Amino acid sequence: MRFSVLDRSRTREHHPAPEALRDTVQLAQDVERLGFHRFWVSEHHGVPGVAGSAPTVLAAAVAAATRTIRVGTGGVMLPNHRPLIVAEQFGVLESLFPGRIDMGLGRSVGFTDGVRRALGRDKDDADDFAGQLDELLSWFRGTSPTGVHARPSEGLTVPPFVLAMGEGADIAARAGLPMVIGDFRDRERMRRGIDRYRAGFRPSAWAEEPYVVVSGTIAVAGTPEEARRILLPEAWAMAHSRTHGTFPPLAPAEEVERRTMTARERGFYEAGLAGQMYGTEEQVAYELESLIKETDAQEVLVTTSTYDREALLDSYTRLARIAGLG
């Protein structure tokens, strides 16, 4: 069973945003030492709480600072870019760090109408994700009908993964690509997506069999209370975004606990904590065993974000121990 990490480069109150990017690189070095299989970074634009706006650039920094862990994106949002440019970027990454690069691809567009306008995109651009994906892969195969050849991408093999949101499972299945699906809190929806993916999977040059990566938050600590506190900053940020329309930097857990919330904020906050996977090593080991048995997944991608970086690293250290990594 493989265990991997996605870090969103979340910014923190009282810390400059560029520090979040350096924190991401440091975390990659730490989880490589712990024995995790992959380390992925994400793409967000115009979000106050996220510094990771250029995933292929950040992936290059991560790959340069590590030696063995696979490095990739979770993901590049394909509707935001021309497929040729994405192919060229990953071709450069694979050329610099051969055999270590993953190409995780999503179908989301900008977080707000303003961001979408700035990107020159609108919501409808996500509707052609399957076509954009096919065009992207054609650049690696050298089959573009334009007669143009992507350099240095053509002929290289950069494993593609589809981030399955909504119909993403069907697109991944038809394209014959590995699929990443979340989250742990809605296990029934996750199982339906996985079943649909496996039922519709068509073998391809990229994957002969279905490959499922389940993704979500996991927090491990010495006590259940300590593990739950790891989740508080992100739960509050999500509640704030739902009620104010902006996604803020993470606040310390003790500040979150002191905040007075409206009934609506409290509802979103508690919903953000409900069903998350957290606890002691023994408790999380039991939940992980159940998750893996239910989904029959090949890999778990952990997406935990929190204010306290020491607590986050301790959580990953304990998770590595549970998983028998290293």
Side-chain angles (χ1 to χ4, degrees):
M1 190 68 191
R2 291 170 169 170
F3 283 79
S4 301
V5 173
L6 166 66
D7 190 66
R8 293 190 175 90
S9 303
R10 293 287 276 111
T11 61
R12 298 181 290 160
E13 289 185 1
H14 321 303
H15 291 264
E19 186 177 329
L21 299 174
R22 296 190 290 271
D23 286 341
T24 291
V25 175
Q26 179 62 59
L27 182 62
Q29 294 173 320
D30 291 332
V31 300
E32 177 182 62
R33 173 177 51 80
L34 292 171
F36 285 85
H37 183 62
R38 312 178 201 276
F39 188 89
W40 283 4
V41 296
S42 62
E43 175 182 342
H44 297 273
H45 300 283
V47 181
V50 183
S53 57
T56 53
V57 176
L58 185 52
V62 168
T66 55
R67 296 184 305 106
T68 57
I69 196 169
R70 296 195 65 87
V71 176
T73 56
V76 164
M77 296 300 130
L78 197 50
N80 291 339
H81 312 278
R82 292 301 307 163
L84 171 61
I85 302 301
V86 176
E88 290 173 337
Q89 290 173 345
F90 278 98
V92 169
L93 283 170
E94 176 63 21
S95 298
L96 292 172
F97 309 102
R100 290 181 58 205
I101 301 300
D102 299 323
M103 186 167 57
L105 305 161
R107 64 188 295 268
S108 297
V109 288
F111 187 63
T112 65
D113 289 339
V115 170
R116 287 189 286 272
R117 286 195 299 272
L119 290 170
R121 298 291 187 266
D122 58 44
K123 290 182 179 180
D124 294 340
D125 287 313
D127 294 340
D128 190 34
F129 179 65
Q132 296 158 354
L133 182 62
D134 186 63
E135 180 183 344
L136 171 62
L137 299 180
S138 77
W139 292 114
F140 289 93
R141 295 191 298 259
T143 57
S144 170
T146 64
V148 176
H149 297 273
R151 310 294 184 196
S153 314
E154 189 173 311
L156 297 180
T157 300
V158 183
F161 295 74
V162 172
L163 277 61
M165 302 294 288
E167 66 175 289
D170 297 323
I171 293 172
R174 289 195 298 269
L177 301 180
M179 177 185 73
V180 183
I181 187 167
D183 65 67
F184 300 158
R185 292 177 297 173
D186 193 344
R187 204 71 60 83
E188 181 58 35
R189 183 183 179 192
M190 177 184 281
R191 282 199 302 266
R192 288 199 304 269
I194 292 171
D195 290 345
R196 194 166 67 246
Y197 166 70
R198 288 188 172 127
F201 185 85
R202 301 174 185 173
S204 71
W206 303 96
E208 294 182 358
E209 299 177 343
Y211 189 92
V212 174
V213 183
V214 291
S215 68
T217 296
I218 301 176
V220 196
T223 67
E225 294 75 22
E226 290 171 340
R228 185 178 184 275
R229 293 186 86 249
I230 292 173
L231 306 177
L232 301 187
E234 185 75 9
W236 164 248
M238 290 299 296
H240 188 277
S241 71
R242 293 289 187 88
T243 53
H244 294 79
T246 60
F247 200 64
L250 297 175
E254 55 271 21
E255 288 188 19
V256 173
E257 290 173 318
R258 289 195 298 264
R259 286 184 175 168
T260 301
M261 302 183 195
T262 66
R264 189 161 180 262
E265 288 171 338
R266 177 67 63 180
F268 283 121
Y269 175 70
E270 295 296 343
L273 294 170
Q276 297 284 17
M277 190 179 296
Y278 70 90
T280 64
E281 291 176 45
E282 184 179 49
Q283 290 170 325
V284 170
Y286 177 81
E287 289 196 54
L288 272 173
E289 184 178 2
S290 173
L291 171 72
I292 293 165
K293 188 178 295 184
E294 285 184 40
T295 62
D296 198 25
Q298 284 80 17
E299 188 170 340
V300 176
L301 179 68
V302 187
T303 62
T304 310
S305 295
T306 194
Y307 182 92
D308 187 337
R309 302 298 293 187
E310 289 185 9
L312 181 64
L313 179 56
D314 180 67
S315 177
Y316 279 124
T317 301
R318 292 172 183 273
L319 179 59
R321 194 153 53 225
I322 293 169
L325 306 181

